Amino acid sequence: MPSKPPKRTSTLDKHQSRLNTLRQNHTALRQNHTTLKRQFWLSWHKHKDYLHSLSMRWTSGDQPTAEDALSATACKASISFSAANGNIGNERAWFARILYNQCMDGHRRRKAENALSVELLAPSAEPSAEDDMLNSELRQVLDRLLKDLPPSLRGPVVSRLVDESPYAAIAKTYKVTEGNARKRVQHGRAILRRRLRKYLTAGEIVE
């Protein structure tokens, strides 16, 4: 008597099986995410006091700025923690490194707001180590940006921002009217601001 052929799994059964697998995977991912999130915040609160003291030091005791840096650090660290599946070696040092980078980025942004002023180009009365480093970096960037200006703008801008020359003297030096000297400086400053913003965003000087 011939044997019966094996039953074939119907298309509906296969679809249901795949759907069940997807649901199980989704549930497992959600559970893993929840676990990682809980682990992260436990680790964060464990080191928060230490990180707060570092943030206050690296922001020169500015409480609002320190709190902002901490919040931004927590967000960035949370994302990186999940990406690493919680496999962080020295959590204390890892948190501190992210916080340090965040504070330095904050220094750069604040310095950039006054990057075209004389105060930035001249050393402060009591510069910190971080100020020295950031001023040095920004001076190098500004030097290159100044050199990239058109000759008709470079001279007046340097005279005004670096040498602190009055507009009347600039006009006499470059044989233009005082109004034209002001326009050249303003135009040059606008170009510098735009290129400096691009540098701070892209991490390199952009034409």
Side-chain angles (χ1 to χ4, degrees), residues 24 55 139 204:
Q24 291 172 358
S55 189
R139 284 196 193 96
E204 57 183 8

Side-chain angles (χ1 to χ4, degrees), residues 1-203:
M1 186 175 181
S3 60
K4 295 181 180 180
K7 292 183 178 180
R8 295 182 178 179
T9 305
S10 66
T11 302
L12 182 60
D13 289 340
K14 290 182 179 179
H15 177 73
Q16 186 62 46
S17 178
R18 286 197 296 267
L19 184 59
N20 290 337
T21 301
L22 288 173
R23 285 174 177 169
Q24 291 172 358
N25 291 340
H26 180 67
T27 300
L29 286 173
R30 289 184 60 184
Q31 291 175 343
N32 184 58
H33 175 73
T34 301
T35 300
L36 286 174
K37 189 174 182 180
R38 187 183 302 113
Q39 290 176 351
F40 170 78
W41 287 113
L42 286 173
S43 298
W44 175 260
H45 287 294
K46 178 181 177 181
H47 302 290
K48 187 175 181 181
D49 290 342
Y50 168 70
L51 295 171
H52 183 268
S53 66
L54 289 181
S55 189
M56 289 292 289
R57 184 193 311 169
W58 290 334
T59 57
S60 302
D62 187 331
Q63 181 74 27
T65 302
E67 293 293 343
D68 288 343
L70 272 178
S71 297
T73 298
C75 291
K76 291 182 178 180
S78 176
I79 295 173
S80 297
F81 190 87
S82 296
N85 202 31
N87 296 319
I88 305 299
N90 188 335
E91 292 180 349
R92 184 184 176 99
W94 181 71
F95 280 131
R97 184 171 65 253
I98 297 176
L99 175 62
Y100 177 81
N101 291 336
Q102 182 64 35
C103 290
M104 292 302 101
D105 287 344
H107 275 298
R108 290 186 180 91
R109 286 193 296 271
R110 287 188 295 277
K111 290 292 183 181
E113 293 175 357
N114 300 311
L116 302 180
S117 66
V118 176
E119 288 79 7
L120 176 67
L121 297 175
S124 59
E126 297 181 357
S128 65
E130 292 84 0
D131 286 336
D132 287 341
M133 178 182 67
L134 293 170
N135 279 334
S136 176
E137 176 185 335
L138 285 173
R139 284 196 193 96
Q140 292 177 15
V141 173
L142 284 172
D143 284 344
R144 179 173 172 182
L145 292 177
L146 284 169
K147 291 177 182 178
D148 288 341
L149 285 175
S152 61
L153 302 179
R154 185 189 313 126
V157 168
V158 171
S159 296
R160 181 63 180 173
L161 298 183
V162 180
D163 301 333
E164 302 183 37
S165 300
Y167 284 109
I170 297 173
K172 183 177 181 180
T173 299
Y174 295 97
K175 296 180 174 57
V176 296
T177 64
E178 189 170 334
N180 186 273
R182 289 179 180 275
K183 287 182 179 179
R184 292 189 184 193
V185 172
Q186 290 172 357
H187 188 194
R189 285 169 66 98
I191 293 174
L192 289 175
R193 285 196 188 95
R194 184 176 66 253
R195 291 179 178 176
L196 185 59
R197 289 194 192 100
K198 289 182 179 179
Y199 165 79
L200 292 171
T201 301

